[in-house]
Amino acid sequence: GFGEVALLARQYAEKLNAKPFEERKSSLRATLDEASLSFDKVSSLKATAGGIELLADLLNDESEVIRKNAAEGLVRRIYRQSPGLEVQVSDEGPSKQTCTYSFQFADVPLEGDSIMHHGVCCVLPSFGDFKGLLSESIPLEDSTGKCVNSMSVVISPDAFEVDKLSFYSTDEEFKAMIKETESLLQNSASTLKAAGVRKFSLMLPQAPHMPRYATFLVEQDWKEAPSCRDMRSTFRHLLEVARLDEEYDLERIVPAVGRSSQVFVGTKKGEAKGKLGKPKTIFAQTITHTFDSNLDGDQWMQWPENLLLSAVDELERARLIPEVGTKPNSRIFAHFNTSVDADPMQVVDGVERFMNGFVAKHG
């Protein structure tokens, strides 16, 4: 219908209005060309200026400084706002970096039950190189015995052979790589267990488009987690997709309008089927790393309002799909992934005041 055409037109307009990929890449390269780089500066760049697809395309740069900064910047961007984040990078040449890192989740106490998670990110020039990677020892230790570590592989700068006319032009190659990765991980289960790896993520850049992502979990016998496909691996936790997956059979709505949003249609597991089928719910999960800690007045409310309106757009877009329609109810989950320097009750009161105003204004 007209709504679907309007949405498609909006997506193309956004692409046409953005600066060319090579121009944005050149600007980011100049930013990264510092021996003592402030990575807070890189992490805070807008996605169009310092996003994952740009950083990944610089991992094979001729300059070692650029490559190492791009690799560290990529890890720090994925895990930004994670307490205690530490990253070390070794570089053996273009598209041959190894990043080891450690972090804590922001939503657990800094003392007591807090667990330090460790991870390794390996950058490789081709998917064929990945096949031999798991035959080597993984530079991680399961110090807690709780299997909480992560491993990821990035194939840079281009994981695919087909022409990338659109984001989904690589579908067939991507699916074949997922199947092969499952087999490789299952055959290396003992090696992964010894390193305490619980989650493995495969990132396949395809500039100028966003990378393809696949996540594999030990609790699923190293099968891909379909609900996390084409989703940054940290989103499974940050957007509470794992919790949704426990209670609902999820179907992704792709592509989402915003790169920090995911939309699902969920059917409650074990729900009885009625005359019109099983009831469904649309979930719009979104995240932001920005929140104004000055809660005096109403000026700080502009950004949360924009965020929720974007989530409403995601819901309305999902309803344009004939198989979804207007019948399912809907829920919005917004994660403000940042620290706020204010009294907790002041934040609660401010958010309640904001929500009352938002509902009164937008219904």
Side-chain angles (χ1 to χ4, degrees), residues 134-155:
L134 293 176
S135 63
E136 306 171 1
S137 62
I138 299 172
L140 292 174
E141 294 183 2
D142 189 12
S143 57
T144 65
K146 296 183 178 180
C147 193
V148 295
N149 294 338
S150 303
M151 181 177 183
S152 59
V153 165
V154 179
I155 308 300

Side-chain angles (χ1 to χ4, degrees), residues 174-206:
F174 185 37
K175 291 175 183 177
M177 289 179 181
I178 288 174
K179 187 174 181 180
E180 190 167 355
T181 299
E182 289 177 340
S183 177
L184 290 169
L185 294 175
Q186 288 165 357
N187 291 336
S188 303
S190 60
T191 302
L192 294 164
K193 182 179 180 179
V197 177
R198 180 184 180 186
K199 179 176 65 177
F200 180 92
S201 59
L202 183 65
M203 176 179 153
L204 305 172
Q206 50 170 6

